[in-house]
Amino acid sequence: MISGYIDRIEEGVAVILLNDGDYQLNYPAELLPENLGEGDYINLSIEKDEEKQEAMLQEALSLMDD
């Protein structure tokens, strides 16, 4: 889990500071949940999507067979 802080929103971009400000993530503000905004602390989770990866692999393989 990655902790972050929504520092500001400018020109449709949420500037999220990660790891106590060591890193900055620019994220489309329109994709934030409605209840989040400037000054909110958040947790981010990044996970591998095994199902999507397998589906894309199968699709690529089927295109190669054609």
Side-chain angles (χ1 to χ4, degrees):
M1 189 75 61
I2 302 168
S3 294
Y5 173 78
I6 302 174
D7 183 55
R8 62 191 179 280
I9 297 175
E10 50 189 31
E11 298 182 21
V13 176
V15 178
I16 301 172
L17 302 180
L18 305 173
N19 197 27
D20 293 327
D22 290 339
Y23 302 97
Q24 177 178 307
L25 172 66
N26 295 330
Y27 189 80
E30 66 185 30
L31 297 180
L32 289 173
E34 288 184 25
N35 63 335
L36 291 179
E38 293 179 354
D40 287 331
Y41 284 86
I42 61 172
N43 289 317
L44 302 171
S45 176
I46 300 173
E47 300 173 9
K48 186 174 184 177
D49 188 338
E50 297 282 354
E51 289 181 23
K52 178 78 170 197
Q53 186 167 345
E54 181 62 28
M56 296 306 292
L57 175 61
Q58 293 305 318
E59 181 179 334
L61 290 173
S62 71
L63 290 173
M64 290 173 53
D65 288 339
D66 290 341

